[in-house]
Amino acid sequence: MRSHINSSSPLAHEVLAAVLQVRYATLRVLLWRRALDPHLGRWSLPGGRLRPDEDVETSIRRQLAEKVDIRQLKHVEQLAVFSAPDRVPGPRVVATAFLGLVPSDVDPEVPEDTAWHEVDNLPRTAFDHREIVLKARDRLRSKLSYTNVGFALAPHEFTISALREIYSAALGYKVDATNLQRVLSRRGLLEPTGHTAPSGRGGGRPAALFSFGCEGIRVTDPFAVFRPPPSRR
Amino acid sequence: MRSHINSSSPLAHEVLAAVLQVRYATLRVLLWRRALDPHLGRWSLPGGRLRPDEDVETSIRRQLAEKVDIRQLKHVEQLAVFSAPDRVPGPRVVATAFLGLVPSDVDPEVPEDTAWHEVDNLPRTAFDHREIVLKARDRLRSKLSYTNVGFALAPHEFTISALREIYSAALGYKVDATNLQRVLSRRGLLEPTGHTAPSGRGGGRPAALFSFGCEGIRVTDPFAVFRPPPSRR
DNA sequence: ACAAAAGTGTTTCCCGTACACCCATGT
DNA sequence: ACATGGGTGTACGGGAAACACTTTTGT
């Protein structure tokens, strides 16, 4: 029988975040170099202990504020719990992992011991952090296709080809600019701003600038199959 | 600076599971009546404290074994962490919630204080358990369309119309038997067993029996859009 | 014969893709 | 003029939904 009075086996709880950004046509993650002994010098995810008065999301936002300007974090979502008893040496720590997204146009001031790393070319990481990063990448990849998360990776204003670079880098393969525009337009996500970007060195037609109308994640393609019957009016 | 030595603010961690089953054309969840004081008498999710030597999935499987035959649990997956500081009265408890699925043909012996309840007509529940159940339901609904989770709700052998009842109950609206068969066949999930079911009281053609070939969850419709280019050979 | 339930065929629609073609600008 | 990159139009294919039609049983 379980009881809420019998408080057996308390343990520590940490929150970690894989903060992702697309830059230089690559998907990157924010890591910091450990300054303490277990796995000293290895790269690890930002985060830390859960405090008594905060829930996990509040906690990760607070802790990330030390690394990046919190307003630049356009999206945060729970990833999974990592709880293998030996996932860190010493006393047991259960971790709640998050996925965070930062638009590609911001270059946040990060502390000295912190740096961006290519997700597809990770350095040696501490503990199970590599696994967490890869899970974050996979989550992002699937959500790009059926939600509007793209807004959290894109600058406020962008050309279609810039957006194409972002989607391509995140997904790991080239997407067609034409169809990207068509799909996002059909879903009502793309708003023309009226502005245009100057054409590049070799000439070329100046590109129109767009922005994502909506803030906040939304499912845009909820049911691939077994759709509910269209609501009669 | 975070440290793995400075073990500040330990707390308790519990694991909970929303175990779902379709029966009598309704989606049901396994709840048990609390015998202890905080929220005594209210219905709550099975689960309990995480032990020092187990990860969360091992823990929930162990604890569910007290309620249902573990072999009947066809699918288990993490749902989310619930961590509001005041989610339970008294000392703080963080919960990792799971979704569990049981096929519709098993009628497990459940302890006396345990019973199935309609998900769409829940009784008063303890703590935040209602929220957890609804989240489990929503997760199941979306996964039915792009994965093969259906296998975890269906009996080993079934007719298409029986399967239709299951999908309809889980999704909350009628699905077309014809298209259900076509979609699942196209995805290579349905295997004809060769057997047929006897026809009902009013006659009617006897139905062919099918089974899901695969055990274990698989994504069957990975990318709605932005598909990777077909791999050249 | 008739009703009932299962299964099949056909049609339609929509979405995503591929690709050819047109447009605007710099040199 | 011509190269360069942006944008549009069109045609194709596939998957899913809707629904009529056929098949097989019981009464």
Side-chain angles (χ1 to χ4, degrees):
Chain A
M1 273 292 165
R2 115 171 180 265
S3 154
H4 279 276
I5 285 105
N6 153 27
S7 84
S8 59
S9 65
L11 44 72
H13 196 111
E14 67 178 356
V15 289
L16 300 171
V19 177
L20 303 183
Q21 182 194 38
V22 173
R23 195 121 209 211
Y24 312 125
T26 53
L27 184 65
R28 312 189 305 173
V29 60
L30 196 64
L31 298 177
W32 70 291
R33 198 185 275 278
R34 283 186 59 76
L36 292 169
D37 188 16
H39 292 191
L40 184 150
R42 290 208 202 162
W43 293 95
S44 66
L45 292 171
R49 288 297 159 83
L50 177 67
R51 287 190 184 159
D53 60 333
E54 57 188 10
D55 64 26
V56 286
E57 180 160 343
T58 307
S59 181
I60 195 61
R61 287 184 183 274
R62 170 182 61 77
Q63 306 205 44
L64 285 178
E66 302 165 11
K67 303 287 176 189
V68 295
D69 181 349
I70 204 68
R71 289 163 305 184
Q72 298 169 337
L73 251 188
K74 278 290 191 58
H75 177 65
V76 170
E77 75 175 51
Q78 264 194 46
L79 213 47
V81 173
F82 291 79
S83 61
D86 59 349
R87 60 172 288 277
V88 302
R92 184 172 187 187
V93 183
V94 169
T96 299
F98 280 82
L99 160 67
L101 298 177
V102 171
S104 65
D105 61 333
V106 307
D107 191 1
E109 297 252 345
V110 297
E112 217 237 316
D113 57 353
T114 307
W116 295 95
H117 293 265
E118 282 191 34
V119 167
D120 288 324
N121 188 19
L122 285 179
R124 179 168 228 219
T125 58
F127 317 122
D128 51 2
H129 292 195
R130 176 191 178 81
E131 190 188 345
I132 297 176
V133 172
L134 297 182
K135 187 158 191 141
R137 180 196 63 182
D138 293 346
R139 175 75 65 90
L140 171 63
R141 285 183 175 171
S142 28
K143 287 221 166 178
L144 276 176
S145 98
Y146 69 93
T147 72
N148 64 343
V149 251
F151 84 86
L153 292 175
H156 181 64
E157 256 193 351
F158 49 84
T159 66
I160 295 297
S161 50
L163 191 63
R164 181 180 104 108
E165 290 303 320
I166 291 170
Y167 271 76
S168 299
L171 290 172
Y173 51 81
K174 289 285 177 202
V175 302
D176 185 283
T178 302
N179 299 327
L180 180 65
Q181 178 174 14
R182 221 188 298 266
V183 169
L184 296 182
S185 298
R186 187 151 40 205
R187 295 182 174 177
L189 302 178
L190 238 37
E191 290 185 355
T193 63
H195 311 151
T196 58
S199 45
R201 62 226 152 274
R205 177 171 170 175
L209 289 169
F210 294 83
S211 69
F212 279 101
C214 46
E215 295 292 283
I217 195 170
R218 226 177 54 206
V219 174
T220 55
D221 188 15
F223 295 94
V225 288
F226 308 139
R227 291 187 263 275
S231 51
R232 326 270 175 204
R233 60 184 68 182
Chain B
M1 270 294 164
R2 117 168 179 266
S3 153
H4 279 275
I5 284 107
N6 155 25
S7 85
S8 59
S9 67
L11 45 73
H13 196 111
E14 66 177 357
V15 289
L16 301 171
V19 178
L20 304 182
Q21 182 194 36
V22 172
R23 196 122 210 209
Y24 311 125
T26 55
L27 184 65
R28 312 189 306 173
V29 61
L30 195 64
L31 298 178
W32 70 290
R33 199 185 275 277
R34 282 186 59 77
L36 293 169
D37 189 16
H39 292 191
L40 184 150
R42 290 207 203 163
W43 293 96
S44 66
L45 292 171
R49 290 296 159 82
L50 177 67
R51 287 190 185 159
D53 60 331
E54 58 188 10
D55 63 26
V56 286
E57 181 162 342
T58 306
S59 181
I60 195 61
R61 286 185 183 274
R62 170 181 63 77
Q63 307 204 45
L64 285 178
E66 300 166 11
K67 302 287 176 191
V68 295
D69 182 350
I70 203 67
R71 288 164 304 184
Q72 298 168 336
L73 251 189
K74 279 290 189 57
H75 177 66
V76 170
E77 74 175 51
Q78 266 193 44
L79 253 188
V81 173
F82 291 80
S83 62
D86 59 350
R87 60 172 289 276
V88 302
R92 183 172 188 186
V93 183
V94 169
T96 299
F98 281 82
L99 161 67
L101 298 177
V102 171
S104 65
D105 61 334
V106 307
D107 190 0
E109 297 252 344
V110 297
E112 217 236 315
D113 56 355
T114 307
W116 295 96
H117 293 266
E118 282 190 34
V119 168
D120 289 323
N121 189 19
L122 285 179
R124 179 167 228 221
T125 59
F127 317 122
D128 50 3
H129 292 195
R130 177 192 178 80
E131 189 187 345
I132 297 176
V133 172
L134 296 182
K135 187 158 190 143
R137 180 196 64 183
D138 293 346
R139 174 75 63 90
L140 171 63
R141 286 183 174 171
S142 28
K143 287 220 167 178
L144 275 177
S145 99
Y146 69 94
T147 71
N148 65 343
V149 250
F151 84 87
L153 293 175
H156 181 64
E157 255 193 353
F158 49 84
T159 66
I160 295 298
S161 50
L163 192 63
R164 182 180 102 109
E165 290 303 321
I166 292 170
Y167 271 76
S168 299
L171 290 171
Y173 51 82
K174 289 285 177 202
V175 302
D176 185 281
T178 303
N179 297 328
L180 179 65
Q181 178 173 13
R182 225 188 294 268
V183 168
L184 296 182
S185 298
R186 189 158 32 210
R187 294 182 174 177
L189 302 178
L190 239 36
E191 290 185 355
T193 62
H195 310 150
T196 58
S199 45
R201 62 227 151 273
R205 176 169 170 175
L209 289 168
F210 294 83
S211 69
F212 279 101
C214 46
E215 295 292 283
I217 196 170
R218 227 176 55 205
V219 174
T220 54
D221 188 14
F223 296 94
V225 289
F226 309 139
R227 292 186 263 276
S231 51
R232 327 268 174 205
R233 59 185 69 182

